[in-house]
Amino acid sequence: MFDALGHGRASLHVTVWELEDADLEAMAAIDTAFGVEFELSPLLLTDHQLKKATPEAVRSRYADDLAALRDRFGLSDRFTDALAALDRSLAGTLDRTCSSDRLYLSPRGALRRCPYDRKNEVDVRLSRKDVADGVRALHASPSAVGSRCALLCGE
């Protein structure tokens, strides 16, 4: 499917929050078995969850997760960039348009520009032409997105 859409690779998107050794071991096993590239993004907490924690506590939790990932796998700067976007989000200065080329495949079989966006998606069970047309439409212009998607779209 990815080749038909002009995307020659697949990746596994992992939302990071309170990683444990078992999580890291599972990721390592997947990497060893399949060689799949992991794309990481920090979990964006809801306003209700943020009221229970200070921004400093949230950033500290992300820093711990980042350190565990970096120690186990080594990381590019993209996850650090996502944390910087999170800081901009908490400060209210995050750009809320999406210009990323990435597509995410939902568990229901829908391609999306953001894994959280259920309004703009293309069903992969459509004909190849309809899927290709739908993907072109998804990328036709940068769309306004919520804060969860905005953290992913800068890559």
Side-chain angles (χ1 to χ4, degrees):
M1 158 142 354
F2 288 99
D3 289 335
L5 294 172
H7 293 273
R9 65 174 177 82
S11 61
L12 181 62
H13 182 258
V14 178
T15 303
V16 176
W17 183 252
E18 296 182 341
L19 288 175
E20 298 177 357
D21 287 338
D23 300 319
L24 298 172
E25 290 170 15
M27 290 172 66
I30 292 169
D31 180 46
T32 300
F34 303 104
V36 172
E37 180 180 316
F38 287 93
E39 294 183 2
L40 306 170
S41 65
L43 175 69
L44 183 64
L45 302 178
T46 65
D47 289 337
H48 179 72
Q49 291 167 318
L50 285 171
K51 287 178 185 175
K52 293 182 176 183
T54 65
E56 294 77 21
V58 172
R59 284 192 288 270
S60 175
R61 177 70 256 160
Y62 288 132
D64 291 347
D65 288 338
L66 177 62
L69 288 163
R70 186 170 280 142
D71 290 348
R72 182 73 177 247
F73 301 107
L75 294 174
S76 69
D77 291 332
R78 291 191 322 199
F79 190 78
T80 304
D81 292 344
L83 290 176
L86 175 66
D87 283 338
R88 290 192 306 276
S89 175
L90 292 171
T93 60
L94 182 65
D95 180 19
R96 293 193 183 249
T97 60
C98 187
S99 58
S100 174
D101 289 339
R102 291 204 170 111
L103 293 174
Y104 297 89
L105 182 62
S106 76
R108 292 184 3 249
L111 291 171
R112 303 172 180 165
R113 288 186 65 192
C114 173
Y116 309 109
D117 184 4
R118 292 186 179 154
K119 294 178 185 174
N120 300 304
E121 60 184 22
V122 178
D123 190 327
V124 298
R125 294 170 293 215
L126 296 172
S127 71
R128 285 186 179 192
K129 180 187 180 316
D130 289 341
V131 170
D133 290 347
V135 169
R136 276 192 290 279
L138 289 175
H139 290 292
S141 64
S143 58
V145 295
S147 56
R148 293 172 129 192
C149 292
L151 290 173
L152 303 173
C153 283
E155 303 174 1

